[in-house]
Amino acid sequence: MRFHLSEDQRALRAGVRELLARRFNAEALRAAVERPGLDRALWRELGEAGFFALRLPEADGGVGLGLPEAVLVFEEAGRVLLPGPLIATHLAAGTVPGAAAGEAVVADVDGGLVEWLAEADVVRGGGTPLPRPEEAVPLRSVDPLTPLHRWTGAETWPCDPVGVLLTAAEQLGTATRACELAVQHARTREQFGQPIGAFQAIKHLCADMLVRAETARAAVYAAAVTADALDIAAARLLADEAALRSTRDCLQVHGGMGFTWESEVHLHLKRAWVRAERGGGVTESEECLAAELVD
Amino acid sequence: MDLTDTPEEQEFRARLREWLAIVLPTLPPKPSPDDWPGRRAHDLGWQRMLYDAGYAGLHWPADAGGRGATPTQHLIFLEETERAGAPYVGAGFVGLLHAGPTIAAEGTAGQRARWLPPILRGEEVWCQGFSEPDAGSDLAALRTRARRDGDDYVVNGSKIWTSHAEVADWCELLVRTDPAATKHRGITWLALPMDTPGVTVRPLRTLAGSAEFAEVFLDEVRVPVANRVGDENDGWRVTMVTLAFERGTAFVGEVVACRRVLGELAREARRTGRWDDPVLRRRLGRLNAEFRALWRLTQWNVSEAQASGRVPGVGGSVFKLRYSHARQELYDAAADVLGDAALDLDRPWVLDRLSSLSYTIAAGTSQIQHNIVAERILGLPKGR
């Protein structure tokens, strides 16, 4: 058993982190919030870096890597709140022309919702033919960086377990980032003459964030290795919990500042909410894990 | 990332399984929790079987008489023995997981030769004299004094929460040898023979009704200086060398056991019709996710430890925080499955539910673990 990351996997993670730090840092995130819309240049750059073709065989022009590598990449995307229908396009690589290279933007109908419909070149849904786009109603999305349409007429694109797992990886990235932001703030923000991180009440919130992230990490990475449906369901539950609760705790640690639009904390929290609605929802995952117990 | 066994690990697992299938049916029945001599004999008998088969001290270094197994092999051992329903380490816990590794790491050649083989052979039981009535979580605030008198230390004070004290041969004892020093300095690690005059053991009843641990009173107890492991006043460092073991791997087998209990609960719920309640079903489904994740976290910690060559360390605190809480949730769910039968001490899981309350207290309370995680992993400042 060699569950820890290989040298190549560490290098891949470092490379992706470096690319994203260069191309989508905190200022770019803020700018994206002010000017909504998909950055096509960034999308093509992600395509060139292999973001979408990561799991395509090399013979088909892909990178030829596996699910564990994809999970590491999407965890990094989650950390920086990279916008766009990343997972739908990744899943479409090799099927939809241009998706692998980042030339095409692909959106999936998931339940009654579609993310990034107006920016998509291709929309995939379970029913054929697809309902007409004018039947989709735009929502005032809670997440300023994820435009949403409600499209109840569409049949749901069958929920791809890989999509569920990659969403869990994004949630893991967000949970990790929430912990980092909270710790950073707790170390520097002073109240009552000392850093608030010296108070146990703050310390324990931060420790819980780390515990959630690390537990979710083990579950997500293991599911990436086994690709087992139950492991994926478990990863999803743990990663959702980590992202939802830790972004909330991160906001709490930031106090009033965390409640402002200026802080980036709310963006993490809102994206975590959006992701938690994907892929059949929590109930389905809980029921399938319950069913296993009596099988 | 790879979760499959290497060929060597496969072979190790297969041989262990084969051996367990042969020896477990020959084991005598488990004695009742209140039968201390019976429990001692049972646990030591099992240790002797492990010794004879070459499985004693699996994770100990070879020069300490162990097998020098990799952390992964140790994990496989704990997983397979639990799966097969083998006895827990029981009375051997402190010797095998704490005092033994401490002596192996810090003891002299003579001390290793005297104390380690009887632990491995299942001949001597150790208990842990760390906690005190007025110290508890603030372990370093201990007040039991030892003054030097010729070739002996003379010890006065008392210890508490000492598991297996009634049947222990030895106690790993922390004493204060320099009262003037700051609280982490001035502590010394001694091996105390439990039959020394002046040692009194008073069993303590737990809320589960059994005598799991005891108070130990020390009145002018003479311990030879030769029984000191490490230097005088260096006991805190000696202790910290091995505390990580307790938090790192002590609960591995229990996670496997919890997963088994969860399956039993689900089948019981289906038998009684409680399974039709979606709230209960989803709760058990979530617990399934929880214990799967805890098992993966164990594998992650062990794999990281193996790759870095270190013991699990503070990562053990992360695991312990989550696990101790999950275990309590599991038995609360059991009570939900049982309904009013959860008030009947003769029903399965009810005593376990009571015992689970100790998990967020023993081996460092959850509050202490939170501080350890926050200060030592996340680097938050210490409070004043």
Side-chain angles (χ1 to χ4, degrees):
Chain A
M1 185 189 75
R2 281 177 296 270
F3 192 15
H4 54 275
L5 302 192
S6 68
E7 281 309 311
D8 285 349
Q9 287 167 337
R10 281 177 199 280
L12 171 73
R13 182 175 62 181
V16 173
R17 189 170 294 187
E18 193 270 329
L19 165 78
L20 293 176
R22 187 161 39 78
R23 268 311 257 113
F24 198 73
N25 57 18
E27 291 83 65
L29 173 66
R30 188 141 306 284
V33 173
E34 301 311 321
R35 288 188 288 14
L38 201 64
D39 180 349
R40 289 279 180 159
L42 173 57
W43 202 256
R44 275 190 297 277
E45 218 172 306
L46 293 173
E48 279 161 27
F51 230 86
F52 306 115
L54 195 74
R55 290 182 307 121
L56 274 189
E58 284 177 79
D60 301 335
V63 188
L65 292 173
L67 212 41
E69 287 77 19
V71 154
L72 293 175
V73 166
F74 278 87
E75 181 185 343
E76 293 304 315
R79 267 179 104 250
V80 299
L81 285 179
L82 194 61
L86 296 158
I87 293 174
T89 303
H90 175 94
L91 294 175
T95 316
V96 172
E103 303 292 338
V105 175
V106 182
D108 281 348
V109 182
D110 182 355
L113 295 176
V114 197
E115 298 176 17
W116 291 95
L117 176 66
E119 300 275 359
D121 301 308
V122 177
V123 182
R124 301 200 301 174
T128 46
L130 273 173
R132 291 187 305 282
E134 57 270 25
E135 289 171 3
V137 181
L139 303 185
R140 219 153 63 79
S141 173
V142 67
D143 175 10
L145 280 173
T146 310
L148 288 170
H149 280 72
R150 182 167 293 288
W151 201 352
T152 44
E155 277 181 51
T156 300
W157 183 243
C159 167
D160 184 338
V162 172
V164 174
L165 178 59
L166 295 182
T167 296
E170 287 186 330
Q171 295 285 57
L172 171 61
T174 286
T176 307
R177 184 73 187 134
C179 182
E180 287 169 3
L181 286 173
V183 168
Q184 215 169 52
H185 185 75
R187 273 199 202 129
T188 48
R189 168 75 174 166
E190 290 199 4
Q191 295 273 271
F192 305 102
Q194 59 183 323
I196 60 169
F199 299 119
Q200 286 201 345
I202 301 293
K203 262 183 204 166
H204 292 195
L205 281 175
C206 293
D208 278 334
M209 284 186 228
L210 184 79
V211 170
R212 277 186 221 117
E214 291 307 303
T215 314
R217 181 182 315 285
V220 170
Y221 289 3
V225 172
T226 66
D228 172 80
L230 290 162
D231 279 338
I232 291 176
R236 185 258 169 77
L237 290 179
L238 273 290
D240 272 355
E241 183 214 352
L244 297 175
R245 294 194 51 194
S246 293
T247 49
R248 192 176 283 242
D249 285 353
C250 180
L251 194 153
Q252 181 69 22
V253 169
H254 279 76
M257 287 177 237
F259 194 69
T260 65
W261 189 264
E262 280 70 29
S263 124
E264 74 177 72
V265 178
H266 70 108
L267 299 172
H268 290 276
L269 181 142
K270 291 164 177 174
R271 187 72 63 85
W273 283 1
V274 168
R275 296 192 200 111
E277 291 303 319
R278 290 186 198 154
V282 161
T283 313
E284 197 174 296
S285 300
E286 286 172 340
E287 285 284 5
C288 96
L289 283 157
E292 191 233 355
L293 295 173
V294 291
D295 277 348
Chain B
M1 278 188 249
D2 185 4
L3 284 161
T4 52
D5 290 344
T6 62
E8 296 78 42
E9 288 161 3
Q10 270 173 23
E11 197 202 323
F12 177 79
R13 192 188 291 275
R15 284 175 54 188
L16 175 59
R17 266 193 196 172
E18 209 174 295
W19 178 72
L20 287 168
I22 295 165
V23 298
L24 287 183
T26 70
L27 263 188
K30 211 176 163 218
S32 86
D34 289 325
D35 175 10
W36 273 106
R39 283 171 68 176
R40 177 189 154 102
H42 189 264
D43 295 348
L44 292 184
W46 169 240
Q47 182 60 29
R48 181 71 206 192
M49 288 164 87
L50 289 172
Y51 180 81
D52 289 342
Y55 288 116
L58 200 62
H59 58 299
W60 286 22
D63 64 5
R67 291 269 305 268
T70 64
T72 304
Q73 283 174 327
H74 189 212
L75 186 70
I76 291 170
F77 174 81
L78 295 167
E79 186 184 8
E80 291 296 331
T81 45
E82 172 53 43
R83 255 192 204 145
Y88 283 119
V89 58
F93 183 89
V94 171
L96 285 159
L97 288 153
H98 204 268
T102 303
I103 294 162
E106 298 287 331
T108 63
Q111 290 174 332
R112 287 152 63 112
R114 165 62 191 91
W115 286 316
L116 300 183
I119 293 174
L120 292 175
R121 287 195 300 257
E123 291 165 0
E124 289 180 349
V125 169
W126 284 69
C127 62
Q128 189 176 69
F130 283 11
S131 296
E132 296 190 6
D134 291 327
S137 287
D138 189 6
L139 181 57
L142 61 92
R143 293 205 297 221
T144 292
R145 294 270 294 270
R147 65 169 198 275
R148 191 75 176 258
D149 182 23
D151 291 336
D152 290 337
Y153 287 103
V154 180
V155 182
N156 282 285
S158 70
K159 296 289 174 175
I160 197 165
W161 320 129
T162 314
S163 302
H164 306 111
E166 290 94 324
V167 293
D169 304 286
W170 296 90
C171 177
E172 52 166 346
L173 190 70
L174 289 185
V175 293
R176 188 160 296 285
T177 31
D178 182 0
T182 55
K183 79 181 197 185
H184 293 86
R185 313 270 163 89
I187 292 173
T188 299
W189 197 107
L190 298 177
L192 160 74
M194 288 296 282
D195 59 1
T196 310
V199 177
T200 312
V201 175
R202 186 177 78 86
L204 283 168
R205 253 179 117 192
T206 72
L207 55 73
S210 59
E212 267 308 305
F213 38 49
E215 258 183 301
V216 178
F217 299 94
L218 305 153
D219 178 22
E220 292 288 297
V221 174
R222 299 189 80 87
V223 183
V225 171
N227 285 17
R228 186 186 74 215
V229 171
D231 291 338
E232 187 169 287
N233 299 329
D234 194 29
W236 185 257
R237 189 193 59 78
V238 172
T239 300
M240 287 304 132
V241 166
T242 46
L243 259 187
F245 277 101
E246 188 173 1
R247 287 164 194 161
T249 52
F251 305 104
V252 168
E254 295 190 15
V255 175
V256 182
C258 284
R259 293 187 66 183
R260 189 185 60 229
V261 168
L262 189 59
E264 288 166 7
L265 281 179
R267 287 189 291 278
E268 170 71 6
R270 196 166 60 171
R271 199 181 63 73
T272 58
R274 288 281 286 123
W275 192 246
D276 297 334
D277 175 1
V279 176
L280 177 76
R281 257 196 336 262
R282 291 181 57 186
R283 186 171 174 193
L284 296 184
R286 193 165 269 280
L287 279 166
N288 189 3
E290 183 72 26
F291 285 106
R292 275 171 177 268
L294 283 166
W295 181 246
R296 297 313 192 183
L297 183 59
T298 304
Q299 289 176 313
W300 179 260
N301 285 341
V302 165
S303 178
E304 289 272 300
Q306 191 161 324
S308 67
R310 293 192 302 263
V311 295
V314 282
S317 290
V318 169
F319 177 84
K320 187 188 182 278
L321 269 173
R322 185 91 185 191
Y323 170 67
S324 54
H325 184 66
R327 187 182 174 94
Q328 291 174 0
E329 299 242 307
L330 171 69
Y331 286 107
D332 281 345
D336 205 9
V337 170
L338 286 169
D340 63 9
L343 304 178
D344 177 355
L345 285 170
D346 286 330
R347 291 294 295 259
W349 306 313
V350 179
L351 277 173
D352 295 311
R353 186 185 188 204
L354 289 171
S355 306
S356 76
L357 297 171
S358 74
Y359 277 71
T360 44
I361 302 171
T365 66
S366 287
Q367 286 65 39
I368 293 288
Q369 305 293 349
H370 272 109
N371 288 351
I372 291 173
V373 169
E375 289 168 10
R376 293 200 216 152
I377 305 182
L378 296 177
L380 288 173
K382 281 185 177 292
R384 282 185 297 205

